[in-house]
Amino acid sequence: GWFASPGARLKVNKSGCEKQGSAKMFNFPDGFLRLRPSTADIMIHVANPSPHSVILDPCAGIGTIPLRSSIKSHYSLGGELSESLFSQFVPQFIECHKKSNKSSRVADLLGWDATILPLRDSFVDVIISDIPFGQKCLSTNLLSVFLPSLLYQCARVLVPNGKMVLLCGNFETLLNALDNLNNRSRYLSEKHAGREDDGGRSGSDLEGMESVFELPCDSVFPANIGGLVAWVIVVRRGKMTPIPPTNYRRSAKRAMVNRVNGEKAKELRRQTTSN
């Protein structure tokens, strides 16, 4: 694959995306969705983290981004909800990290729900993640429910002026979710401070205000990944404290229960089919 600069087209070969001389990282079953190492390397290059930065991937899958980040001398952390994914690929992740060069830093995978991250505020320097596209992973409706909670958590754990690089299927959906988080946080912050409702303010009035994420974002450019159209969005964290979505805790708990039950149902169907 090749990468020129933000604003150019990112292109990844359909087969054999690893760099020359690098071995295949994992053994995948047919039809398994995963992020290719070369794509992860490009996203890390776009993020351009400073040495020894703490990098987070809240939707880590099999851990491609945390592993590639650690090889590039960064401290990386990732998490995934799927129990079956962990039991199958975490041992391979650990083995790959041990075989990496001596300059590699700490990399770890945890089991968590990305809408309820078990991390303290302003903990990570950079967020790099391949989020669900709303196609094979989550439906469009579920993605619209998932994004506000995910972005709130990303804003909470990211340091001010920290950078977030996301690979997504529809950039408009993601930008709208970022804008909604900004507007909601501004409105409720002013309301709690006893100020007047800003509903009648023009866009120019709101432009100079602090925000959760700085919009317009740094860069939005297309990515062609094995024939699949995707988008890379680069955005910086602002100074405003994020406000959680309405009924956030209830929605997050319900989503977590539904996902766990879904995993159990898939495992049961798998066992029934094999028998």
Side-chain angles (χ1 to χ4, degrees):
W2 56 265
F3 173 76
S5 63
R9 179 171 291 274
L10 179 156
K11 191 174 183 180
V12 180
N13 295 332
K14 188 171 184 179
S15 60
C17 288
E18 293 79 4
K19 291 182 177 180
Q20 286 185 340
S22 63
K24 187 176 180 180
M25 292 201 338
F26 299 106
N27 295 319
F28 302 105
D30 293 338
F32 190 86
L33 297 176
R34 75 276 189 186
L35 183 69
R36 290 163 175 157
S38 59
T39 309
D41 288 343
I42 292 172
M43 295 177 68
I44 296 169
H45 173 75
V46 171
N48 191 27
S50 58
H52 316 307
S53 296
V54 177
I55 296 178
L56 170 69
D57 183 357
C59 306
I62 63 171
T64 305
I65 290 176
L67 180 61
R68 302 300 295 180
S69 300
S70 67
I71 293 176
K72 297 177 181 297
S73 299
H74 302 295
Y75 299 94
S76 53
L77 181 65
E80 181 60 46
L81 181 67
S82 173
E83 295 180 5
S84 59
L85 199 87
F86 263 81
S87 60
Q88 189 171 3
F89 292 111
V90 165
Q92 296 186 54
F93 174 90
I94 296 173
E95 187 64 24
C96 283
H97 190 260
K98 288 180 179 179
K99 291 180 179 179
S100 61
N101 57 52
K102 295 182 180 179
S103 64
S104 65
R105 298 289 175 176
V106 176
D108 201 1
L109 283 178
L110 300 176
W112 66 35
D113 186 336
T115 62
I116 321 174
L117 293 177
L119 303 174
R120 67 174 183 266
D121 296 353
S122 302
F123 176 71
V124 300
D125 302 302
V126 179
I127 293 176
I128 306 174
S129 188
D130 172 19
I131 65 174
F133 281 26
Q135 298 174 6
K136 291 186 177 181
C137 183
L138 295 184
S139 65
T140 303
N141 291 335
L142 289 177
L143 183 62
S144 64
V145 176
F146 173 73
L147 274 181
S149 298
L150 172 66
L151 295 178
Y152 163 71
Q153 286 293 327
C154 290
R156 183 182 64 80
V157 303
L158 191 60
V159 297
N161 203 38
K163 187 179 290 187
M164 184 167 67
V165 179
L166 300 179
L167 180 68
C168 62
N170 188 327
F171 73 92
E172 292 182 348
T173 301
L174 183 55
L175 291 179
N176 287 336
L178 289 169
D179 191 43
N180 290 338
L181 177 61
N182 281 347
N183 292 337
R184 174 178 171 78
S185 299
R186 286 169 180 164
Y187 170 74
L188 293 180
S189 295
E190 289 195 348
K191 185 176 181 181
H192 293 163
R195 300 176 184 176
E196 294 182 357
D197 186 356
D198 65 349
R201 295 186 180 182
S202 64
S204 59
D205 294 329
L206 294 175
E207 187 175 351
M209 296 177 60
E210 292 184 353
S211 58
V212 179
F213 286 104
E214 296 179 359
L215 295 178
C217 53
D218 287 3
S219 181
V220 178
F221 57 93
N224 184 354
I225 305 176
L228 178 65
V229 177
W231 296 86
V232 177
I233 292 182
V234 184
V235 63
R236 288 188 179 273
R237 174 74 165 88
K239 296 180 180 180
M240 178 172 286
T241 302
I243 304 297
T246 306
N247 298 325
Y248 165 71
R249 294 186 180 277
R250 185 186 305 171
S251 300
K253 183 178 180 180
R254 183 170 60 250
M256 181 175 62
V257 171
N258 291 339
R259 291 173 194 167
V260 171
N261 290 339
E263 285 293 325
K264 291 181 179 179
K266 288 181 182 178
E267 184 64 26
L268 181 61
R269 286 195 298 269
R270 191 179 299 111
Q271 293 176 357
T272 303
T273 304
S274 61
N275 293 336

